[in-house]
Amino acid sequence: MTSKPTEQVAPERDEFAGSEGSKEQGLTPGSVLDHGRYRLLAKVGTDPRCDAQLWRAKDGVLGRDVALTILVGDRADSEASGNARRTLERAMHASTFNHVGVARVLDVVTQSPGDPQGVLGVVIAEWTHGTDLLDLVAEGPLPPGTAARLLQPLAAAVEAAHHAGLVLGADHPQRIRVTPDGEVRMAFPGPLAKATSSEDVRGLGAALYLLLTGRWALPDGPEDVPKAPVGPDGTIVAPRTLRPTVPLELSTVAVRALGSPDQTGTTGGVRTGAAVLRVLEQHASFDAPTTSVQAPSTSGDTRDNEVWKTEDPKPDQVKRKKLLISVGVLALATLLVVGWLATNLISVFTSADHPSQQGTIISNPGGQPGQPPAPPAAPIAITGGTQYNANGSPDNPNSFRLMYDGDPATDWHTSGYNQQLGPGGISSATGGVLTLERAATPREVVIDSPSGGARVEIHKVEGAPSPSADTLIGSGKLEAGRTPIQIEMTGKTEKILIVFTQLVQGADGRFSSQINEVTVTG
């Protein structure tokens, strides 16, 4: 795939010049908008579906770069003006929405007397340094684990926005950028006038399809980007068919989010960002392709020359902290074992000098004579998690990671239920699956929670998570604070399921509980 020119220094033609009585300059680098406040620097892309131009500009008042979504058209066209007005209204409503996966909307302005002819309005957002989403796959698709990891912030933003009653408009590749830290972000907010939340979900599917295959699967994409192939029946070919190394779950969620049947023929669509996010979390990894992407700069801002190297991603700080703790504990355990061995060896040689002690067998309770005891339990880092609910509707999936982020000041909590959990209620269990850093035999799980009186169960996960009697390895009633739960199991597991089976009733009469932090030792 050939890299596209991400930032045009000049348009191919003047889209607004030529009408009698209008200005002649059109939208070109150096043009100014909103009474001269915003000076255009470079054109980043075009969204023909709503006659929008995407520009990088300089805010002359605050002296910073901004992202402009400029809506253009004939001011005398009532339909075009109405659609532009609706887009501006929706963007204004989103100005209070803050999420790492979306550039913050700073302002929304209608056309000003000094603007070039044809400008109907402008959405101003903070500038996202990094590179274009299309440049990321210019030399080929990404490893599946990397694609899943990069897309998580955008999927979380879509789900959070929909919970807030907002639509992002994340269904065009040139509206999406990749930060130097390697996170996919909605960089040019401003949904179409009639866009619904389903378009955002389809956009997630198309973005995942693009990262996995290098092809765009929705109509009206950039002309120089290869389109997703379709089969004889007119449906989009699954990513796994094009790249057999793509996991089945990632391939399936991509095509179902697009509203297409998967390779098994199943047509059940994915309708929420949470459903996409769950699959991304399960397959996210630090796979390392051998390419790097550098964002071009036309304004002399050296920050945009930062290179995001996919072969050297920045590690997650929480994982790094937990890894360091684990290494430290293991080192301490090793020293204790070595010290124990040295002490017993000295005792053996000392007994040779004292006949009264000869023939004494050195024993250790619970172990074989002359062998060291089992090493002490060490922390097992939690590297990922997915919210689970027996009724299939997850509780607050976007905050589930706070259960294992290493910070007891943050928490994941259930929804508020009108009745207690149980077979006759709306759900029998709610919690989530935690992925361990390695296959291990857990000995103890400590749950830090203020929800004293809540009951939890811990299950091993061998396939699909299921809180059944066959998988139960521990249970207990929580105290307010830290509650240790002993684990009884043989063999090893890479995943455990922690679920509430009884919640705490609040002053409002509703049932809910929360977990601030979970630690596992084994």
Side-chain angles (χ1 to χ4, degrees):
M1 178 176 173
T2 303
S3 175
K4 69 174 189 62
T6 57
E7 297 188 351
Q8 298 171 299
V9 296
E12 296 180 358
R13 62 186 179 88
D14 185 348
E15 299 188 40
F16 308 115
S19 60
E20 183 178 354
S22 68
K23 296 186 177 292
E24 297 292 328
Q25 71 268 29
L27 290 178
T28 59
S31 299
V32 293
L33 300 176
D34 192 24
H35 304 286
R37 175 170 181 173
Y38 301 106
R39 179 171 57 87
L40 302 185
L41 299 178
K43 187 177 180 181
V44 176
T46 302
D47 188 347
R49 304 170 306 163
C50 58
D51 291 329
Q53 294 191 20
L54 313 176
W55 283 80
R56 179 180 182 178
K58 176 70 73 174
D59 183 342
V61 175
L62 299 180
R64 61 183 177 184
D65 285 4
V66 290
L68 302 186
T69 302
I70 306 175
L71 306 176
V72 298
D74 186 355
R75 297 179 184 178
D77 186 338
S78 59
E79 182 178 1
S81 297
N83 288 337
R85 183 171 58 256
R86 176 60 177 153
T87 294
L88 296 176
E89 290 173 351
R90 303 184 84 175
M92 177 60 74
H93 291 158
S95 61
T96 58
F97 179 70
N98 291 316
H99 195 283
V100 67
V102 182
R104 185 164 55 94
V105 175
L106 303 175
D107 198 4
V108 173
V109 299
T110 56
Q111 67 267 28
S112 302
D115 290 347
Q117 184 73 15
V119 173
L120 302 179
V122 184
V123 179
I124 302 100
E126 58 186 355
W127 175 249
T128 300
H129 295 279
T131 189
D132 191 287
L133 183 65
L134 298 179
D135 275 339
L136 194 62
V137 294
E139 298 180 11
L142 303 183
T146 300
R149 176 172 56 85
L150 295 182
L151 202 57
Q152 286 184 80
L154 184 60
V158 166
E159 179 62 13
H162 293 176
H163 275 294
L166 302 173
V167 176
L168 297 182
D171 55 348
H172 192 278
Q174 289 180 313
R175 288 178 175 260
I176 302 171
R177 291 177 65 81
V178 187
T179 70
D181 290 334
E183 294 181 335
V184 173
R185 192 182 199 204
M186 180 71 183
F188 290 90
L192 275 64
K194 298 180 180 179
T196 64
S197 58
S198 62
E199 271 76 32
D200 281 341
V201 178
R202 295 186 70 205
L204 287 177
L208 179 58
Y209 196 102
L210 176 69
L211 296 178
L212 294 175
T213 68
R215 299 166 183 268
W216 185 249
L218 291 179
D220 297 322
E223 295 181 356
D224 54 348
V225 179
K227 293 180 173 57
V230 296
D233 58 352
T235 59
I236 294 174
V237 175
R240 186 175 172 86
T241 303
L242 302 178
R243 293 181 65 201
T245 57
V246 174
L248 176 62
E249 293 83 356
L250 279 180
S251 179
T252 299
V253 78
V255 294
R256 289 191 182 180
L258 288 165
S260 303
D262 62 16
Q263 46 266 66
T264 67
T266 302
T267 57
V270 172
R271 298 180 178 85
T272 66
V276 178
L277 183 60
R278 283 198 298 270
V279 177
L280 296 179
E281 291 175 338
Q282 291 171 356
H283 293 275
S285 71
F286 283 87
D287 295 338
T290 57
T291 60
S292 63
V293 178
Q294 181 170 353
S297 175
T298 59
S299 66
D301 187 346
T302 58
R303 289 177 297 175
D304 254 13
N305 288 328
E306 297 179 56
V307 178
W308 175 65
K309 297 183 178 180
T310 53
E311 73 271 23
D312 184 24
K314 295 188 176 181
D316 182 88
Q317 298 300 323
V318 173
K319 292 181 180 177
R320 173 184 288 179
K321 177 181 177 181
K322 292 183 177 179
L323 180 60
L324 290 175
I325 294 174
S326 299
V327 171
V329 173
L330 288 175
L332 178 60
T334 302
L335 289 175
L336 291 174
V337 172
V338 171
W340 184 91
L341 287 172
T343 301
N344 281 277
L345 287 174
I346 292 173
S347 299
V348 170
F349 288 111
T350 302
S351 65
D353 296 331
H354 297 81
S356 61
Q357 295 181 3
Q358 291 184 11
T360 301
I361 298 176
I362 301 174
S363 63
N364 65 92
Q368 295 297 322
Q371 293 187 6
I380 304 173
I382 301 171
T383 58
T386 305
Q387 210 280 319
Y388 168 87
N389 195 315
N391 65 13
S393 179
D395 290 356
N396 300 315
N398 293 326
S399 63
F400 185 74
R401 59 183 177 80
L402 301 179
M403 183 195 293
Y404 55 88
D405 66 347
D407 184 3
T410 61
D411 70 89
W412 169 80
H413 56 274
T414 71
S415 299
Y417 290 81
N418 291 325
Q419 53 185 314
Q420 183 62 269
L421 297 178
I426 190 172
S427 177
S428 59
T430 181
V433 177
L434 301 180
T435 301
L436 307 180
E437 64 175 346
R438 65 181 188 280
T441 304
R443 298 183 187 178
E444 182 181 73
V445 173
V446 178
I447 299 177
D448 189 344
S449 169
S451 304
R455 292 190 176 274
V456 297
E457 290 185 355
I458 303 173
H459 298 257
K460 62 181 178 181
V461 177
E462 298 176 341
S466 174
S468 68
D470 294 337
T471 63
L472 182 65
I473 57 176
S475 63
K477 182 178 180 180
L478 297 185
E479 302 291 339
R482 292 169 56 86
T483 305
I485 299 176
Q486 300 303 312
I487 303 301
E488 297 180 3
M489 66 169 290
T490 58
K492 297 183 177 182
T493 184
E494 293 183 350
K495 296 182 178 182
I496 59 174
L497 171 67
I498 299 179
V499 291
F500 284 109
T501 56
Q502 180 175 302
L503 302 176
V504 177
Q505 188 172 22
D508 60 354
R510 308 187 74 185
F511 296 87
S512 65
S513 293
Q514 76 178 54
I515 295 178
N516 290 16
E517 197 68 26
V518 172
T519 54
V520 182
T521 57

